Amino acid sequence: MAASTMGYLFEFPTMGSALTALKGKSINDDSELPPPRKVARHGSASSPHKHRTTATGRTGLNPIEIKLRTPAQAPDFAAMHTLVYKFIRTFLQTGKGGYSGCLGDIHEACKVLVLEANQGDALEGVLTTSLRLCCENILREFKSSDASVNDFLEKFLNWWSWWHRRLDTLRAVLLFLDIVHLESHENKSSIREAGFQRFKDTVLLSSYTMRNIEEALKAWSNDKRMGVLTVDEPRLKKLVRCTEDLGCYEPCIEEPYLSRTTEFYAKESAKATSKTAVEYLQLCAKSYEQEKEIEMGDFRPETSAASSLIALQQLVIPHIDLLAKEALADIIATRDHKYFVELHNMLTRVTSSSKSWTASPSDTLLSHYRNDIISRVKDIVTDTEHDATMVDNLLELKEFLDTCLSKEFLDDVEQSDRQYTHATSEAFEKGFACRRIKPAEMIARKIDSLMREGQKSSSDGEFFVKMTRILTLYRFSPDKDAFRTFYKRALTKRLLLGRSASDDFEKQVLEVLSKSYDAAFSDMTQMFKDLVVSKDLLDDYRHPKRNEPERPDLNLSVMVLQHSMWPVAKKVSKPNTGVEIRLPSKMEEALNDYADFYRTRHGNRRLTWAHYLGTATLRAYFPAGKKELSVSLYQATVLLLFNERDEWSTEEIEDRTSLGTSDLVPTIQSLALGKQQLLRRTDARIGKNVKRDDRFSFNEEFTDTKVKIRVNTIQQNDTVEEIQQAVKVIDQHRDASLEAAIVRVMKAAKTMKHQQLVNETIDAVSKHFRPDVNAIKSRIESLIEREFIARKDGNTNVYSYLA
């Protein structure tokens, strides 16, 4: 068919009068003859090629005779039109077998009608009407009987296949109509295009077909979600391809499918009332993944993505508080970072589906996240019964949040990391502010515990990772001056009691603190210099010169400390005695000897003893063997009493040592009621409280596998009185810092309003602590009384600086 078609297109016409109408010219007309030409001759004057000469002596051309064949009769255009008309109407009838005539005759007739009779418009009209009537008949066939989903798909695809074949045949037979008349005009559609459009408008987009397509998509998607398949999926795929071919995928497939998806998950959303928050979160996540997996193979990718997003929108938006508040609270409480990541990424996807949120799901989650963390940090910080585990609980919470916000899990890493990191910091800062000073104190104690333990089997890097985790909490504390105070006190005890795991690590930690957190920590390096000076002095003391007397105790070790650098104060244990403790005579003699030696080196300086920080090493003899006991000076004084007699009461020990109850009772508890029971209570009373009439004796049955034993001591922990004294010192330093800041601000400004002065004072000291506004007002009044500043012209709201 194709070869013959091309032959028709390039066939020359056999009839015409153009050449027969041309009049012949007389061959003897000289005016029309060209001038004679010279012909080159070769070899001789004569040539075998001779031209015929006319009567006038000129050489002329032979005449050409053209004969044209005329047609026997003119074509019958009306008969041809009737032939083509009957073919089109018969060929597009749905209830008959088709056209039984010769298609070649139809082809020839169509060619003549288009090329010679100029009847392309008439044939186009016949074709358009026939296409419409045929499609209406196809739709009528559809509606003739009710059918199941699979039956509908089968009937539709059969008709579509039949229609497709009919259009192909029509185009081949009516080729001249299609190419010469239709495709050569921009405003006309080809036979295939017109047929597709008519089938689309009449059959595919009819309410009946659209309703059945929706039902098929609904049944298929429900089957997929339930894990069964009753719909003929291959036929449904062919239907999808049909809509693609006809250019109506969106209205026929995507829109109905997404509409049914919306209805389905709107019903699923109602199940929230029967589930816990986390269970409902699991349902949302499962549905999202399920929608992503519902792939027909011929769906556009954007359709699957849209259906997954619709599932989330229908499930999440009506229950945003359930997910963002209750589910989040449960997730954080159970420390399940996978659910947190699932929740975060889910709400991020829902947020990205629209740009017109009043309060987006992501913002709602972030707000509840911030409030939840504030509440949890506050509960941990204000739980006075569990102060000992405060830092561990804060670290565990912070580590969980860091895991949740890691780059490994979040979809939008950069944006989410920035928002949630800021929210976490803000929440911890507000939570820490709910309790004054105590969080900073506990962080300092945690670092003290770590420094006492040392790195053990861990590497330097692992050790500093632990340290950095703790110092992260320090950043959230508004009481940085309190942390510095307690850290310095703890460092003092570690150095003086020999409890530090490594002086090198101590210096490295101070370097980190001074460079990354607070430059004031660099002042503490002077403490190590004092220890070096003390060691040199001790070497001189232990090696007396020739003219100096022998030392009463060469094992004596004394550390001379600068009072300005070390938080060490003189202590009076028992009121009205004027002494801290009454030491054994040999100890007193050794200490007095060192004091005399020190005066020979520094005559203008005076030593003040801090016995509560002293330690001693005792050799004890038990039936099980000799032991070397490392104890505090208080413990040593009490133990040495039992060299004098076997049994002492609490009251007698107090009278003999001059230790007050607050120091004596913990000392006896550590010796008789602790882990290493060197003493024992003579009565069988149960409990760790110590009464004045309790009597104690040396425990000869004490055993331990170690020879050198370090007895637990209360020295390494601050007593209640010491903590109260430290807080008092902190408050005094704060008052002085506030006054200094107020004076600096006023000296620079000369005159300033009250609120501005308060704000600038807060800014000046906020790096070290967050002052209370009432404390600032109190300091202003104090400075007015001392005439550093004054109210200007009696105005209570304006201050002026007094030079």
Side-chain angles (χ1 to χ4, degrees):
M1 177 67 74
S4 63
T5 299
M6 294 302 296
Y8 291 137
L9 289 176
F10 291 97
E11 183 179 13
F12 289 99
T14 58
M15 296 180 292
S17 60
L19 295 177
T20 57
L22 181 65
K23 292 183 179 181
K25 295 291 184 180
S26 174
I27 195 169
N28 296 320
D29 189 353
D30 294 339
S31 64
E32 295 299 321
L33 292 175
R37 293 187 299 171
K38 293 182 179 180
V39 180
R41 297 179 182 273
H42 302 280
S44 67
S46 62
S47 172
H49 305 285
K50 295 189 177 180
H51 297 270
R52 181 174 59 85
T53 305
T54 65
T56 60
R58 291 176 176 266
T59 301
L61 299 174
N62 293 324
I64 300 175
E65 182 181 1
I66 299 176
K67 294 180 179 181
L68 298 178
R69 180 171 54 87
T70 57
Q73 58 181 4
D76 187 353
F77 295 140
M80 292 181 180
H81 184 275
T82 301
L83 181 65
V84 174
Y85 173 82
K86 289 183 177 179
F87 161 72
I88 294 175
R89 297 298 299 269
T90 304
F91 190 68
L92 290 179
Q93 287 182 0
T94 59
K96 297 183 178 180
Y99 183 73
S100 59
C102 179
L103 296 181
D105 294 342
I106 306 299
H107 180 83
E108 283 291 330
C110 179
K111 180 182 73 170
V112 172
L113 290 174
V114 172
L115 294 179
E116 298 183 24
N118 197 23
Q119 292 189 20
D121 289 335
L123 292 180
E124 180 186 1
V126 172
L127 178 65
T128 301
T129 302
S130 299
L131 291 175
R132 176 178 58 79
L133 293 175
C134 183
C135 286
E136 289 175 354
N137 289 334
I138 292 174
L139 182 61
R140 202 173 293 113
E141 291 285 342
F142 268 139
K143 294 181 178 180
S144 62
S145 61
D146 295 332
S148 65
V149 169
N150 288 330
D151 291 340
F152 162 77
L153 291 175
E154 182 181 7
K155 290 174 67 177
F156 178 88
L157 292 174
N158 288 339
W159 279 115
W160 168 242
S161 178
W162 179 87
W163 183 252
H164 210 288
R165 293 193 303 271
R166 283 292 190 268
L167 293 179
D168 288 343
T169 303
L170 281 174
R171 186 178 185 277
V173 175
L174 307 178
L175 187 64
F176 279 88
L177 174 66
D178 197 36
I179 294 178
V180 177
H181 179 71
L182 297 177
E183 293 187 359
S184 62
H185 295 78
E186 293 183 357
N187 59 342
K188 295 181 182 295
S189 301
S190 67
I191 294 176
R192 179 185 293 271
E193 291 173 349
F196 278 10
Q197 187 65 39
R198 177 53 57 189
F199 190 90
K200 168 185 172 182
D201 294 340
T202 305
V203 179
L204 183 59
L205 294 181
S206 67
S207 59
Y208 173 81
T209 306
M210 290 294 293
R211 184 170 61 254
N212 279 275
I213 291 176
E214 288 185 20
E215 291 300 320
L217 290 172
K218 177 182 178 181
W220 173 81
S221 59
N222 288 342
D223 286 352
K224 282 285 191 176
R225 294 178 184 119
M226 300 303 175
V228 297
L229 194 60
T230 60
V231 177
D232 192 336
E233 189 172 70
R235 288 175 176 168
L236 189 59
K237 290 182 179 181
K238 291 180 180 179
L239 173 64
V240 174
R241 287 196 292 271
C242 171
T243 62
E244 287 279 14
D245 293 340
L246 296 177
C248 55
Y249 172 85
E250 289 85 355
C252 293
I253 299 298
E254 185 171 84
E255 293 175 8
Y257 176 69
L258 296 182
S259 176
R260 293 297 183 180
T261 301
T262 301
E263 293 177 6
F264 177 83
Y265 283 106
K267 295 179 181 179
E268 287 292 296
S269 176
K271 297 179 180 180
T273 56
S274 62
K275 295 181 179 293
T276 65
V278 174
E279 288 174 346
Y280 188 68
L281 171 62
Q282 292 173 331
L283 172 64
C284 295
K286 180 181 178 181
S287 299
Y288 175 74
E289 294 299 328
Q290 182 177 347
E291 284 302 310
K292 286 173 61 179
E293 294 174 359
I294 296 180
E295 285 287 348
M296 186 185 294
D298 288 273
F299 269 177
R300 292 178 183 175
E302 53 267 30
T303 304
S304 298
S307 67
S308 299
L309 192 57
I310 286 174
L312 284 184
Q313 290 172 335
Q314 294 300 316
L315 293 171
V316 170
I317 295 176
H319 306 288
I320 186 65
D321 285 335
L322 175 68
L323 294 169
K325 186 176 181 180
E326 296 180 27
L328 176 67
D330 292 342
I331 289 169
I332 297 177
T334 57
R335 300 294 192 266
D336 194 328
H337 73 272
K338 292 183 179 179
Y339 280 144
F340 175 86
V341 173
E342 210 163 56
L343 174 62
H344 171 272
N345 291 341
M346 183 188 302
L347 297 191
T348 299
R349 296 184 190 104
V350 175
T351 299
S352 64
S353 66
S354 174
K355 296 183 179 179
S356 59
W357 297 104
T358 302
S360 71
S362 290
D363 291 339
T364 303
L365 177 64
L366 183 64
S367 176
H368 285 304
Y369 172 87
R370 182 185 297 106
N371 294 335
D372 187 275
I373 302 305
I374 291 174
S375 176
R376 292 181 187 279
V377 173
K378 179 181 177 181
D379 290 343
I380 294 173
V381 166
T382 56
D383 186 3
T384 56
E385 294 183 0
H386 298 90
D387 281 345
T389 59
M390 177 194 299
V391 175
D392 288 332
N393 294 336
L394 291 171
L395 286 174
E396 188 269 337
L397 175 61
K398 182 63 169 58
E399 186 174 359
F400 165 72
L401 298 177
D402 290 343
T403 302
C404 291
L405 304 177
S406 64
K407 296 181 179 180
E408 180 183 354
F409 301 109
L410 298 188
D411 285 349
D412 186 2
V413 176
E414 182 177 353
Q415 179 72 11
S416 300
D417 180 65
R418 182 168 59 253
Q419 290 180 339
Y420 280 87
T421 298
H422 178 74
T424 302
S425 299
E426 180 184 352
F428 270 78
E429 288 172 0
K430 289 185 177 181
F432 273 48
C434 295
R435 190 175 182 187
R436 182 173 174 267
I437 294 178
K438 195 65 178 182
E441 174 194 343
M442 300 312 298
I443 294 172
R445 287 192 182 186
K446 184 64 178 180
I447 294 180
D448 175 56
S449 175
L450 185 62
M451 296 303 294
R452 291 175 185 272
E453 294 175 0
Q455 66 184 97
K456 295 183 178 178
S457 59
S458 60
S459 64
D460 292 355
E462 294 171 340
F463 178 82
F464 276 100
V465 166
K466 295 179 182 178
M467 182 65 65
T468 302
R469 288 179 57 236
I470 301 173
L471 291 178
T472 300
L473 298 180
Y474 161 74
R475 290 186 182 276
F476 303 136
S477 173
D479 302 312
K480 293 181 172 56
D481 59 337
F483 171 82
R484 191 170 59 249
T485 297
F486 284 104
Y487 183 87
K488 190 173 185 178
R489 293 174 66 88
L491 175 61
T492 296
K493 290 191 174 184
R494 290 198 300 273
L495 296 179
L496 298 182
L497 299 177
R499 295 296 191 266
S500 177
S502 170
D503 287 352
D504 291 336
F505 276 125
E506 295 284 5
K507 294 176 183 178
Q508 290 179 37
V509 172
L510 284 178
E511 183 178 2
V512 171
L513 288 170
S514 60
K515 288 183 177 180
S516 303
Y517 297 90
D518 189 347
F521 281 97
S522 60
D523 296 339
M524 298 184 193
T525 56
Q526 182 62 41
M527 300 167 73
F528 293 92
K529 297 178 181 179
D530 287 351
L531 295 180
V532 173
V533 173
S534 297
K535 183 177 180 301
D536 293 340
L537 278 173
L538 192 58
D539 288 341
D540 291 344
Y541 173 74
R542 290 176 175 173
H543 299 86
K545 298 179 180 179
R546 292 182 180 179
N547 57 345
E548 291 180 343
E550 293 292 329
R551 305 306 181 197
D553 188 354
L554 292 178
N555 292 320
L556 177 65
S557 177
V558 178
M559 297 180 184
V560 180
L561 315 174
Q562 296 184 60
H563 186 270
S564 60
M565 297 303 304
W566 296 75
V568 176
K570 182 179 180 179
K571 180 177 181 180
V572 177
S573 180
K574 192 174 182 179
N576 303 324
T577 61
V579 297
E580 179 184 353
I581 186 174
R582 188 175 297 125
L583 298 174
S585 57
K586 289 186 177 181
M587 290 186 182
E588 289 285 359
E589 179 184 356
L591 293 180
N592 292 333
D593 184 67
Y594 185 86
D596 294 338
F597 161 77
Y598 188 78
R599 279 192 292 271
T600 62
R601 297 292 191 273
H602 305 282
N604 58 343
R605 297 182 185 178
R606 179 171 174 269
L607 293 178
T608 300
W609 299 104
H611 296 311
Y612 67 96
L613 294 174
T615 61
T617 301
L618 303 179
R619 285 189 294 272
Y621 298 91
F622 297 92
K626 182 175 67 175
K627 305 293 181 183
E628 192 173 288
L629 308 176
S630 178
V631 294
S632 70
L633 201 55
Y634 286 4
Q635 291 171 327
T637 302
V638 172
L639 287 174
L640 290 173
L641 292 177
F642 290 88
N643 284 338
E644 299 179 16
R645 67 182 195 213
D646 294 336
E647 193 174 300
W648 292 79
S649 68
T650 304
E651 185 176 4
E652 292 171 340
I653 296 174
E654 180 180 351
D655 292 339
R656 182 65 180 271
T657 61
S658 296
L659 284 172
T661 303
S662 60
D663 291 322
L664 179 60
V665 170
T667 300
I668 294 177
Q669 287 174 336
S670 65
L671 293 173
L673 305 174
K675 183 178 180 180
Q676 293 93 4
Q677 296 183 2
L678 301 174
L679 304 178
R680 63 182 178 183
R681 189 159 46 190
T682 55
D683 59 351
R685 186 168 60 83
I686 300 175
K688 290 191 175 182
N689 58 319
V690 176
K691 298 181 179 179
R692 292 182 62 82
D693 58 350
D694 284 345
R695 302 189 67 81
F696 299 91
S697 62
F698 187 67
N699 183 14
E700 294 184 352
E701 297 178 358
F702 173 80
T703 58
D704 197 299
T705 57
K706 299 178 182 178
V707 176
K708 294 183 178 181
I709 302 172
R710 176 174 289 180
V711 180
N712 291 335
T713 172
I714 61 170
Q715 292 170 299
Q716 61 187 20
N717 300 319
D718 288 337
T719 62
V720 175
E721 291 79 5
E722 288 176 330
I723 295 174
Q724 292 174 348
Q725 180 64 28
V727 172
K728 183 178 180 180
V729 170
I730 292 170
D731 289 336
Q732 291 173 350
H733 287 169
R734 289 185 173 182
D735 289 344
S737 298
L738 287 175
E739 290 183 355
I742 293 170
V743 171
R744 284 196 303 271
V745 171
M746 289 301 301
K747 186 176 181 179
K750 304 302 181 184
T751 302
M752 187 173 287
K753 291 184 178 181
H754 173 79
Q755 190 58 48
Q756 184 181 1
L757 177 59
V758 170
N759 293 339
E760 295 201 18
T761 301
I762 292 174
D763 292 340
V765 300
S766 59
K767 185 177 179 181
H768 302 286
F769 64 96
R770 186 173 300 164
D772 182 65
V773 175
N774 292 328
I776 297 176
K777 292 180 180 180
S778 176
R779 292 303 94 204
I780 291 174
E781 293 297 331
S782 176
L783 290 173
I784 291 174
E785 292 177 2
R786 288 181 283 161
E787 298 182 352
F788 283 92
I789 60 176
R791 291 184 173 88
K792 186 176 182 180
D793 300 330
N795 189 341
T796 58
N797 196 41
V798 181
Y799 304 106
S800 60
Y801 177 71
L802 300 179

